[in-house]
mmCIF file of all heavy atoms in Angstrom:
data_model
loop_
_atom_site.group_PDB
_atom_site.id
_atom_site.type_symbol
_atom_site.label_atom_id
_atom_site.label_comp_id
_atom_site.label_asym_id
_atom_site.label_seq_id
_atom_site.Cartn_x
_atom_site.Cartn_y
_atom_site.Cartn_z
ATOM 1 N N HIS N 1 -19.477 19.787 -42.961
ATOM 2 C CA HIS N 1 -20.002 18.519 -42.272
ATOM 3 C C HIS N 1 -21.417 18.607 -42.234
ATOM 4 O O HIS N 1 -22.064 19.679 -41.724
ATOM 5 C CB HIS N 1 -19.497 18.378 -40.897
ATOM 6 C CG HIS N 1 -19.889 17.066 -40.255
ATOM 7 N ND1 HIS N 1 -20.954 17.118 -39.310
ATOM 8 C CD2 HIS N 1 -19.516 15.881 -40.337
ATOM 9 C CE1 HIS N 1 -21.109 15.827 -38.990
ATOM 10 N NE2 HIS N 1 -20.370 15.116 -39.531
ATOM 11 N N LEU N 2 -22.167 17.583 -42.866
ATOM 12 C CA LEU N 2 -23.639 17.671 -42.843
ATOM 13 C C LEU N 2 -24.230 16.773 -41.824
ATOM 14 O O LEU N 2 -25.156 17.282 -41.056
ATOM 15 C CB LEU N 2 -24.056 17.106 -44.294
ATOM 16 C CG LEU N 2 -25.597 16.966 -44.426
ATOM 17 C CD1 LEU N 2 -26.244 18.343 -44.532
ATOM 18 C CD2 LEU N 2 -25.905 16.209 -45.772
ATOM 19 N N GLU N 3 -23.712 15.556 -41.616
ATOM 20 C CA GLU N 3 -24.149 14.613 -40.617
ATOM 21 C C GLU N 3 -23.328 13.547 -40.460
ATOM 22 O O GLU N 3 -22.309 13.253 -41.227
ATOM 23 C CB GLU N 3 -25.556 13.994 -41.099
ATOM 24 C CG GLU N 3 -25.400 13.211 -42.420
ATOM 25 C CD GLU N 3 -26.738 12.582 -42.741
ATOM 26 O OE1 GLU N 3 -27.623 12.398 -42.012
ATOM 27 O OE2 GLU N 3 -26.688 12.028 -43.927
ATOM 28 N N THR N 4 -23.482 12.937 -39.209
ATOM 29 C CA THR N 4 -22.812 11.597 -39.038
ATOM 30 C C THR N 4 -23.962 10.564 -39.076
ATOM 31 O O THR N 4 -24.833 10.353 -38.297
ATOM 32 C CB THR N 4 -22.177 11.540 -37.638
ATOM 33 O OG1 THR N 4 -21.122 12.483 -37.570
ATOM 34 C CG2 THR N 4 -21.486 10.006 -37.411
ATOM 35 N N PHE N 5 -24.009 9.932 -40.305
ATOM 36 C CA PHE N 5 -25.094 9.092 -40.594
ATOM 37 C C PHE N 5 -24.811 7.621 -39.929
ATOM 38 O O PHE N 5 -23.800 7.168 -39.847
ATOM 39 C CB PHE N 5 -25.099 8.773 -42.126
ATOM 40 C CG PHE N 5 -26.130 7.805 -42.564
ATOM 41 C CD1 PHE N 5 -27.445 8.093 -42.707
ATOM 42 C CD2 PHE N 5 -25.774 6.438 -42.840
ATOM 43 C CE1 PHE N 5 -28.401 7.001 -43.150
ATOM 44 C CE2 PHE N 5 -26.658 5.399 -43.089
ATOM 45 C CZ PHE N 5 -28.017 5.875 -43.371
ATOM 46 N N ALA N 6 -25.995 7.171 -39.475
ATOM 47 C CA ALA N 6 -26.125 5.756 -38.918
ATOM 48 C C ALA N 6 -27.295 5.138 -39.468
ATOM 49 O O ALA N 6 -28.409 5.641 -39.384
ATOM 50 C CB ALA N 6 -26.152 5.777 -37.347
ATOM 51 N N GLY N 7 -27.128 4.079 -40.031
ATOM 52 C CA GLY N 7 -28.289 3.337 -40.666
ATOM 53 C C GLY N 7 -27.981 2.187 -41.463
ATOM 54 O O GLY N 7 -26.755 1.749 -41.442
ATOM 55 N N ASP N 8 -28.799 1.786 -42.378
ATOM 56 C CA ASP N 8 -28.556 0.558 -43.275
ATOM 57 C C ASP N 8 -27.571 0.898 -44.328
ATOM 58 O O ASP N 8 -26.676 0.208 -44.760
ATOM 59 C CB ASP N 8 -29.775 -0.020 -43.759
ATOM 60 C CG ASP N 8 -30.577 -0.786 -42.800
ATOM 61 O OD1 ASP N 8 -30.051 -1.066 -41.738
ATOM 62 O OD2 ASP N 8 -31.670 -1.309 -43.240
ATOM 63 N N ALA N 9 -27.790 2.059 -45.011
ATOM 64 C CA ALA N 9 -26.934 2.312 -46.142
ATOM 65 C C ALA N 9 -27.291 3.870 -46.626
ATOM 66 O O ALA N 9 -28.232 4.424 -46.222
ATOM 67 C CB ALA N 9 -27.293 1.438 -47.241
ATOM 68 N N LEU N 10 -26.306 4.430 -47.464
ATOM 69 C CA LEU N 10 -26.618 5.658 -48.088
ATOM 70 C C LEU N 10 -26.567 5.349 -49.630
ATOM 71 O O LEU N 10 -25.799 4.507 -50.172
ATOM 72 C CB LEU N 10 -25.555 6.722 -47.774
ATOM 73 C CG LEU N 10 -25.600 7.455 -46.410
ATOM 74 C CD1 LEU N 10 -24.545 8.275 -46.166
ATOM 75 C CD2 LEU N 10 -26.984 8.200 -46.397
ATOM 76 N N LEU N 11 -27.482 6.075 -50.326
ATOM 77 C CA LEU N 11 -27.568 5.796 -51.707
ATOM 78 C C LEU N 11 -27.394 7.259 -52.469
ATOM 79 O O LEU N 11 -27.940 8.153 -52.009
ATOM 80 C CB LEU N 11 -28.964 5.290 -52.023
ATOM 81 C CG LEU N 11 -29.350 4.854 -53.458
ATOM 82 C CD1 LEU N 11 -30.413 3.835 -53.325
ATOM 83 C CD2 LEU N 11 -29.841 5.987 -54.319
ATOM 84 N N VAL N 12 -26.422 7.232 -53.509
ATOM 85 C CA VAL N 12 -26.224 8.449 -54.161
ATOM 86 C C VAL N 12 -26.699 8.133 -55.612
ATOM 87 O O VAL N 12 -26.163 7.309 -56.277
ATOM 88 C CB VAL N 12 -24.751 8.812 -54.070
ATOM 89 C CG1 VAL N 12 -24.513 10.136 -54.785
ATOM 90 C CG2 VAL N 12 -24.155 8.792 -52.745
ATOM 91 N N SER N 13 -27.609 8.905 -56.125
ATOM 92 C CA SER N 13 -28.222 8.569 -57.457
ATOM 93 C C SER N 13 -28.187 9.802 -58.351
ATOM 94 O O SER N 13 -28.244 10.946 -57.926
ATOM 95 C CB SER N 13 -29.678 8.175 -57.289
ATOM 96 O OG SER N 13 -30.451 9.069 -56.849
ATOM 97 N N THR N 14 -28.144 9.448 -59.667
ATOM 98 C CA THR N 14 -28.286 10.440 -60.727
ATOM 99 C C THR N 14 -29.673 10.757 -60.931
ATOM 100 O O THR N 14 -30.501 10.021 -60.509
ATOM 101 C CB THR N 14 -27.569 9.892 -62.004
ATOM 102 O OG1 THR N 14 -28.537 8.741 -62.469
ATOM 103 C CG2 THR N 14 -26.225 9.285 -61.875
ATOM 104 N N PRO N 15 -29.979 11.759 -61.739
ATOM 105 C CA PRO N 15 -31.388 12.111 -62.155
ATOM 106 C C PRO N 15 -32.019 10.836 -62.783
ATOM 107 O O PRO N 15 -33.158 10.584 -62.654
ATOM 108 C CB PRO N 15 -31.374 13.333 -62.986
ATOM 109 C CG PRO N 15 -30.115 13.998 -62.473
ATOM 110 C CD PRO N 15 -29.029 13.005 -62.157
ATOM 111 N N ALA N 16 -31.196 10.276 -63.793
ATOM 112 C CA ALA N 16 -31.735 9.135 -64.513
ATOM 113 C C ALA N 16 -32.002 7.969 -63.678
ATOM 114 O O ALA N 16 -33.005 7.231 -63.850
ATOM 115 C CB ALA N 16 -30.814 8.757 -65.678
ATOM 116 N N GLY N 17 -31.217 7.826 -62.576
ATOM 117 C CA GLY N 17 -31.332 6.723 -61.781
ATOM 118 C C GLY N 17 -32.361 7.021 -60.586
ATOM 119 O O GLY N 17 -32.635 6.136 -59.712
ATOM 120 N N SER N 18 -32.915 8.143 -60.515
ATOM 121 C CA SER N 18 -33.745 8.542 -59.429
ATOM 122 C C SER N 18 -35.153 7.768 -59.395
ATOM 123 O O SER N 18 -35.805 7.694 -58.408
ATOM 124 C CB SER N 18 -34.066 10.051 -59.444
ATOM 125 O OG SER N 18 -34.880 10.412 -60.656
ATOM 126 N N THR N 19 -35.378 7.203 -60.601
ATOM 127 C CA THR N 19 -36.634 6.380 -60.716
ATOM 128 C C THR N 19 -36.373 4.880 -60.268
ATOM 129 O O THR N 19 -37.359 4.043 -60.456
ATOM 130 C CB THR N 19 -37.294 6.431 -62.113
ATOM 131 O OG1 THR N 19 -36.252 6.063 -63.136
ATOM 132 C CG2 THR N 19 -37.736 7.850 -62.418
ATOM 133 N N ALA N 20 -35.140 4.543 -60.006
ATOM 134 C CA ALA N 20 -34.807 3.139 -59.767
ATOM 135 C C ALA N 20 -34.780 2.968 -58.122
ATOM 136 O O ALA N 20 -35.824 3.203 -57.584
ATOM 137 C CB ALA N 20 -33.463 2.749 -60.479
ATOM 138 N N TYR N 21 -33.723 2.380 -57.612
ATOM 139 C CA TYR N 21 -33.496 2.084 -56.339
ATOM 140 C C TYR N 21 -33.901 3.211 -55.502
ATOM 141 O O TYR N 21 -34.463 3.223 -54.283
ATOM 142 C CB TYR N 21 -32.139 1.693 -56.033
ATOM 143 C CG TYR N 21 -31.819 0.916 -54.725
ATOM 144 C CD1 TYR N 21 -30.623 0.479 -54.419
ATOM 145 C CD2 TYR N 21 -32.855 0.848 -53.691
ATOM 146 C CE1 TYR N 21 -30.305 -0.268 -53.299
ATOM 147 C CE2 TYR N 21 -32.625 0.282 -52.511
ATOM 148 C CZ TYR N 21 -31.335 -0.352 -52.230
ATOM 149 O OH TYR N 21 -31.056 -0.907 -50.943
ATOM 150 N N ASN N 22 -33.470 4.472 -55.878
ATOM 151 C CA ASN N 22 -33.694 5.659 -55.061
ATOM 152 C C ASN N 22 -35.216 5.902 -54.793
ATOM 153 O O ASN N 22 -35.552 6.248 -53.688
ATOM 154 C CB ASN N 22 -33.125 6.976 -55.878
ATOM 155 C CG ASN N 22 -33.557 8.293 -55.360
ATOM 156 O OD1 ASN N 22 -33.026 8.696 -54.355
ATOM 157 N ND2 ASN N 22 -34.441 8.828 -55.954
ATOM 158 N N PHE N 23 -36.066 5.729 -55.856
ATOM 159 C CA PHE N 23 -37.507 5.879 -55.725
ATOM 160 C C PHE N 23 -38.067 4.837 -54.805
ATOM 161 O O PHE N 23 -38.859 5.184 -54.014
ATOM 162 C CB PHE N 23 -38.152 5.786 -57.128
ATOM 163 C CG PHE N 23 -39.631 6.054 -57.039
ATOM 164 C CD1 PHE N 23 -40.184 7.394 -56.838
ATOM 165 C CD2 PHE N 23 -40.534 5.051 -57.292
ATOM 166 C CE1 PHE N 23 -41.496 7.561 -56.793
ATOM 167 C CE2 PHE N 23 -41.829 5.201 -57.314
ATOM 168 C CZ PHE N 23 -42.380 6.483 -57.087
ATOM 169 N N SER N 24 -37.577 3.677 -54.805
ATOM 170 C CA SER N 24 -38.126 2.614 -53.955
ATOM 171 C C SER N 24 -37.719 2.881 -52.507
ATOM 172 O O SER N 24 -38.445 2.490 -51.591
ATOM 173 C CB SER N 24 -37.487 1.198 -54.335
ATOM 174 O OG SER N 24 -37.810 0.898 -55.748
ATOM 175 N N ALA N 25 -36.570 3.654 -52.358
ATOM 176 C CA ALA N 25 -36.201 3.899 -50.975
ATOM 177 C C ALA N 25 -36.761 5.186 -50.397
ATOM 178 O O ALA N 25 -36.323 5.723 -49.248
ATOM 179 C CB ALA N 25 -34.689 4.126 -51.019
ATOM 180 N N GLY N 26 -37.723 5.794 -51.182
ATOM 181 C CA GLY N 26 -38.391 6.945 -50.764
ATOM 182 C C GLY N 26 -37.732 8.292 -51.256
ATOM 183 O O GLY N 26 -38.162 9.389 -50.822
ATOM 184 N N GLY N 27 -36.750 8.310 -52.100
ATOM 185 C CA GLY N 27 -36.170 9.470 -52.760
ATOM 186 C C GLY N 27 -36.983 10.151 -53.683
ATOM 187 O O GLY N 27 -38.053 9.577 -54.157
ATOM 188 N N SER N 28 -36.754 11.238 -54.139
ATOM 189 C CA SER N 28 -37.572 11.966 -55.154
ATOM 190 C C SER N 28 -37.157 11.666 -56.447
ATOM 191 O O SER N 28 -36.012 11.217 -56.768
ATOM 192 C CB SER N 28 -37.281 13.586 -54.912
ATOM 193 O OG SER N 28 -37.723 13.943 -53.626
ATOM 194 N N ILE N 29 -38.088 11.822 -57.422
ATOM 195 C CA ILE N 29 -37.829 11.729 -58.868
ATOM 196 C C ILE N 29 -37.292 12.994 -59.412
ATOM 197 O O ILE N 29 -37.895 14.009 -59.230
ATOM 198 C CB ILE N 29 -39.055 11.285 -59.541
ATOM 199 C CG1 ILE N 29 -39.510 9.873 -59.263
ATOM 200 C CG2 ILE N 29 -38.868 11.364 -61.059
ATOM 201 C CD1 ILE N 29 -40.913 9.515 -59.969
ATOM 202 N N LEU N 30 -36.140 12.930 -60.090
ATOM 203 C CA LEU N 30 -35.517 14.196 -60.629
ATOM 204 C C LEU N 30 -35.506 13.945 -62.049
ATOM 205 O O LEU N 30 -35.195 12.923 -62.565
ATOM 206 C CB LEU N 30 -34.083 14.321 -60.260
ATOM 207 C CG LEU N 30 -33.711 14.392 -58.716
ATOM 208 C CD1 LEU N 30 -32.251 14.694 -58.504
ATOM 209 C CD2 LEU N 30 -34.537 15.574 -58.155
ATOM 210 N N TYR N 31 -36.038 14.981 -62.857
ATOM 211 C CA TYR N 31 -36.129 14.919 -64.331
ATOM 212 C C TYR N 31 -34.678 14.695 -64.733
ATOM 213 O O TYR N 31 -33.662 15.290 -64.238
ATOM 214 C CB TYR N 31 -36.560 16.142 -64.856
ATOM 215 C CG TYR N 31 -36.587 16.128 -66.336
ATOM 216 C CD1 TYR N 31 -37.559 15.226 -67.029
ATOM 217 C CD2 TYR N 31 -35.877 16.997 -67.199
ATOM 218 C CE1 TYR N 31 -37.719 15.226 -68.362
ATOM 219 C CE2 TYR N 31 -36.027 16.965 -68.572
ATOM 220 C CZ TYR N 31 -36.884 16.042 -69.144
ATOM 221 O OH TYR N 31 -37.049 15.991 -70.567
ATOM 222 N N GLN N 32 -34.461 13.784 -65.711
ATOM 223 C CA GLN N 32 -33.101 13.190 -66.045
ATOM 224 C C GLN N 32 -32.155 14.191 -66.657
ATOM 225 O O GLN N 32 -30.926 13.994 -66.734
ATOM 226 C CB GLN N 32 -33.178 11.936 -66.915
ATOM 227 C CG GLN N 32 -33.987 12.124 -68.286
ATOM 228 C CD GLN N 32 -34.332 10.751 -68.837
ATOM 229 O OE1 GLN N 32 -34.209 9.712 -68.368
ATOM 230 N NE2 GLN N 32 -34.679 10.793 -70.122
ATOM 231 N N GLN N 33 -32.587 15.349 -66.995
ATOM 232 C CA GLN N 33 -31.733 16.479 -67.604
ATOM 233 C C GLN N 33 -31.416 17.530 -66.502
ATOM 234 O O GLN N 33 -30.720 18.395 -66.813
ATOM 235 C CB GLN N 33 -32.443 17.156 -68.721
ATOM 236 C CG GLN N 33 -32.679 16.147 -69.937
ATOM 237 C CD GLN N 33 -31.429 15.432 -70.460
ATOM 238 O OE1 GLN N 33 -30.333 16.151 -70.726
ATOM 239 N NE2 GLN N 33 -31.392 14.220 -70.589
ATOM 240 N N LEU N 34 -31.921 17.326 -65.264
ATOM 241 C CA LEU N 34 -31.602 18.230 -64.300
ATOM 242 C C LEU N 34 -30.093 18.160 -63.810
ATOM 243 O O LEU N 34 -29.540 17.052 -63.812
ATOM 244 C CB LEU N 34 -32.503 18.125 -63.066
ATOM 245 C CG LEU N 34 -33.870 18.457 -63.097
ATOM 246 C CD1 LEU N 34 -34.670 18.170 -61.799
ATOM 247 C CD2 LEU N 34 -34.013 20.043 -63.359
ATOM 248 N N GLU N 35 -29.512 19.219 -63.573
ATOM 249 C CA GLU N 35 -28.085 19.212 -63.380
ATOM 250 C C GLU N 35 -27.753 19.068 -61.824
ATOM 251 O O GLU N 35 -27.539 20.210 -61.141
ATOM 252 C CB GLU N 35 -27.309 20.415 -63.892
ATOM 253 C CG GLU N 35 -27.496 20.485 -65.436
ATOM 254 C CD GLU N 35 -26.610 21.622 -65.980
ATOM 255 O OE1 GLU N 35 -26.126 22.517 -65.215
ATOM 256 O OE2 GLU N 35 -26.423 21.751 -67.212
ATOM 257 N N GLY N 36 -27.802 17.905 -61.285
ATOM 258 C CA GLY N 36 -27.631 17.659 -59.915
ATOM 259 C C GLY N 36 -27.732 16.134 -59.582
ATOM 260 O O GLY N 36 -27.805 15.379 -60.528
ATOM 261 N N TYR N 37 -27.531 15.781 -58.420
ATOM 262 C CA TYR N 37 -27.783 14.413 -57.956
ATOM 263 C C TYR N 37 -28.288 14.369 -56.600
ATOM 264 O O TYR N 37 -28.693 15.373 -56.032
ATOM 265 C CB TYR N 37 -26.393 13.664 -58.083
ATOM 266 C CG TYR N 37 -25.204 14.248 -57.339
ATOM 267 C CD1 TYR N 37 -24.683 13.549 -56.217
ATOM 268 C CD2 TYR N 37 -24.628 15.384 -57.698
ATOM 269 C CE1 TYR N 37 -23.633 14.008 -55.507
ATOM 270 C CE2 TYR N 37 -23.489 15.924 -57.036
ATOM 271 C CZ TYR N 37 -23.121 15.154 -55.958
ATOM 272 O OH TYR N 37 -21.868 15.686 -55.230
ATOM 273 N N GLN N 38 -28.461 13.129 -56.025
ATOM 274 C CA GLN N 38 -29.417 12.960 -54.873
ATOM 275 C C GLN N 38 -28.657 12.020 -53.833
ATOM 276 O O GLN N 38 -28.141 11.029 -54.231
ATOM 277 C CB GLN N 38 -30.801 12.501 -55.318
ATOM 278 C CG GLN N 38 -31.726 12.486 -54.287
ATOM 279 C CD GLN N 38 -33.161 12.265 -54.888
ATOM 280 O OE1 GLN N 38 -34.108 12.182 -54.087
ATOM 281 N NE2 GLN N 38 -33.265 12.043 -56.115
ATOM 282 N N LEU N 39 -28.796 12.426 -52.630
ATOM 283 C CA LEU N 39 -28.380 11.626 -51.451
ATOM 284 C C LEU N 39 -29.519 11.148 -50.656
ATOM 285 O O LEU N 39 -30.373 11.832 -50.228
ATOM 286 C CB LEU N 39 -27.400 12.410 -50.507
ATOM 287 C CG LEU N 39 -26.973 11.694 -49.241
ATOM 288 C CD1 LEU N 39 -26.106 10.541 -49.508
ATOM 289 C CD2 LEU N 39 -26.361 12.690 -48.235
ATOM 290 N N THR N 40 -29.827 9.777 -50.638
ATOM 291 C CA THR N 40 -30.999 9.201 -49.991
ATOM 292 C C THR N 40 -30.546 8.240 -48.857
ATOM 293 O O THR N 40 -29.763 7.251 -49.127
ATOM 294 C CB THR N 40 -31.787 8.555 -51.079
ATOM 295 O OG1 THR N 40 -32.275 9.460 -52.036
ATOM 296 C CG2 THR N 40 -33.085 7.968 -50.392
ATOM 297 N N PRO N 41 -31.047 8.388 -47.611
ATOM 298 C CA PRO N 41 -30.799 7.502 -46.653
ATOM 299 C C PRO N 41 -31.656 6.202 -46.628
ATOM 300 O O PRO N 41 -32.841 6.233 -47.043
ATOM 301 C CB PRO N 41 -31.040 8.203 -45.325
ATOM 302 C CG PRO N 41 -32.208 9.164 -45.768
ATOM 303 C CD PRO N 41 -32.018 9.509 -47.211
ATOM 304 N N LEU N 42 -31.020 5.105 -46.314
ATOM 305 C CA LEU N 42 -31.861 3.798 -46.225
ATOM 306 C C LEU N 42 -31.913 3.520 -44.738
ATOM 307 O O LEU N 42 -30.818 3.176 -43.998
ATOM 308 C CB LEU N 42 -31.267 2.697 -47.034
ATOM 309 C CG LEU N 42 -31.594 2.709 -48.527
ATOM 310 C CD1 LEU N 42 -30.951 3.848 -49.225
ATOM 311 C CD2 LEU N 42 -31.078 1.396 -49.071
ATOM 312 N N ALA N 43 -33.077 3.488 -44.226
ATOM 313 C CA ALA N 43 -33.344 3.112 -42.704
ATOM 314 C C ALA N 43 -32.418 3.769 -41.805
ATOM 315 O O ALA N 43 -31.664 3.265 -41.055
ATOM 316 C CB ALA N 43 -33.177 1.548 -42.519
#
């Protein structure tokens, strides 16, 4: 268990998608060949 999130939304992005909505929401840019993905909170 990591957290009980409360907020507007959660965003799960790929490295290729990290420069899209994720970046606008304050997430990090991941080089698109990195082997991982990203969880980004919205508000």
Side-chain angles (χ1 to χ4, degrees):
H1 184 262
L2 177 68
E3 64 175 343
T4 298
F5 173 82
D8 281 358
L10 281 174
L11 190 153
V12 187
S13 67
T14 65
S18 67
T19 53
Y21 194 176
N22 170 77
F23 182 71
S24 298
S28 299
I29 293 177
L30 301 184
Y31 183 66
Q32 55 193 16
Q33 298 302 312
L34 287 177
E35 296 188 348
Y37 57 110
Q38 191 169 178
L39 174 68
T40 302
L42 277 68

